[in-house]
Amino acid sequence: MTEPVGLRARKKARTRDVIADAAISLFLANGFDQVSVSDIAAAAEVSKPTLFRYFATKEDLILHRFMDHQGEAARVVRDRQSDLAPLTALHRRFRAGLERFEPVTGLNDHPEVVAFHRLVFATPSLAGRLMQYMLDDEDALAAVLDRGIAARLQAAQVIAVQRVLARTNWQKIADGRTARDVQPEAVTDADRAFAQLRHGTDSS
C-alpha cells in the first residue's frame, strides 16, 4: 500500500523543517564553522545521506530561508500590470516588504533574525553562497526585462540596491535600534535609491 502523494509531501516538508531548524539552532549557538554536518544529522535524528537529499550543501542549511525569495524580482516584473513600469513595480514590492517588516528587507528586529543575518554576513562561505543566489536573481530579472546589455545592467543595479538597502537596515538594528524606529529612514532610503535607478546619479 502506497502513501497518498499529499501525505508524502507533508512528511518530506516536516523532515526538511526539522533538519533546517536543528541546523540553524546549532549554527547560532556555536558558529557555522564549528558545527559539522554530522552534528546536524544527529540533532535532527536523520542520516547524513538523508540530510543531503534535502540540502545540497552545508551553506544551504541556513540560506534556504532566502529561497522563498529566489527569483522574486523577476516574478514581480513578469506579473506586474501592463501599464506599470518594471522599476515602479519593484519599488512598490520593496516598500511593501518594509511595511510588513519582512526579514529579507533587513527591517526586522526579532533577535533570531538579527543573529541570523549577523552569522550570514560574518561567515565568508555563507556570504559567498548568498552572492551566488543574488547572481541567479540578477540573471532571472535580466531575462524578463529584455535582452541585451541594458537589461543586464539594470538587473544588476536593482539587485545591488536591494542588497545595500537590506544590509543598511540590518546594521542599524544590529547597532541597537528597533525596526519601527528605523522604518521611516528605510522607506526614505528605498525611495531615494529607486529614484536614482530611474533617473541616474549624475546631477550635472
Side-chain angles (χ1 to χ4, degrees), residues 54-71:
Y54 288 89
F55 299 96
T57 71
K58 182 181 174 184
E59 287 76 16
D60 289 339
L61 282 158
I62 191 165
L63 294 178
H64 78 280
R65 289 188 172 185
F66 290 96
M67 292 300 290
D68 289 342
H69 298 277
Q70 193 79 41

Side-chain angles (χ1 to χ4, degrees), residues 87 90 134-135 137-162 193-194 196-198 200:
L87 283 178
L90 290 163
M134 291 180 177
L135 290 173
D137 278 347
E138 181 184 313
D139 288 342
L141 178 56
V144 298
L145 284 172
D146 201 351
R147 296 185 181 276
I149 188 63
R152 295 202 65 83
L153 287 171
Q154 188 173 66
Q157 290 170 335
V158 168
I159 299 302
V161 159
Q162 292 181 338
F194 278 94
Q196 287 186 356
L197 283 176
R198 290 188 189 91

Side-chain angles (χ1 to χ4, degrees), residues 22-143:
I24 290 173
S25 294
L26 287 171
F27 291 151
L28 292 177
N30 303 294
F32 182 78
D33 293 328
Q34 285 66 48
V35 177
S36 70
V37 172
S38 295
D39 294 332
I40 298 164
E45 299 183 340
V46 299
S47 67
K48 285 176 64 175
T50 295
L51 184 151
F52 282 120
R53 281 203 298 272
Y54 288 89
F55 299 96
T57 71
K58 182 181 174 184
E59 287 76 16
D60 289 339
L61 282 158
I62 191 165
L63 294 178
H64 78 280
R65 289 188 172 185
F66 290 96
M67 292 300 290
D68 289 342
H69 298 277
Q70 193 79 41
E72 183 173 80
R75 288 192 296 274
V76 168
V77 171
R78 185 178 58 246
D79 298 341
R80 76 190 191 283
Q81 297 176 351
S82 59
D83 61 344
L84 197 64
L87 283 178
T88 300
L90 290 163
H91 183 191
R92 289 182 181 178
R93 176 64 188 86
F94 195 85
R95 282 282 302 265
L98 294 175
E99 291 170 7
R100 293 192 289 267
F101 298 98
E102 291 182 355
V104 73
T105 67
L107 191 67
N108 187 295
D109 54 12
H110 189 285
E112 184 176 301
V113 173
V114 177
F116 173 86
H117 283 110
R118 181 180 290 110
L119 178 65
V120 171
F121 296 144
T123 306
S125 61
L126 290 172
R129 183 70 168 168
L130 181 58
M131 183 56 66
Q132 184 58 56
Y133 286 4
M134 291 180 177
L135 290 173
D136 292 342
D137 278 347
E138 181 184 313
D139 288 342
L141 178 56

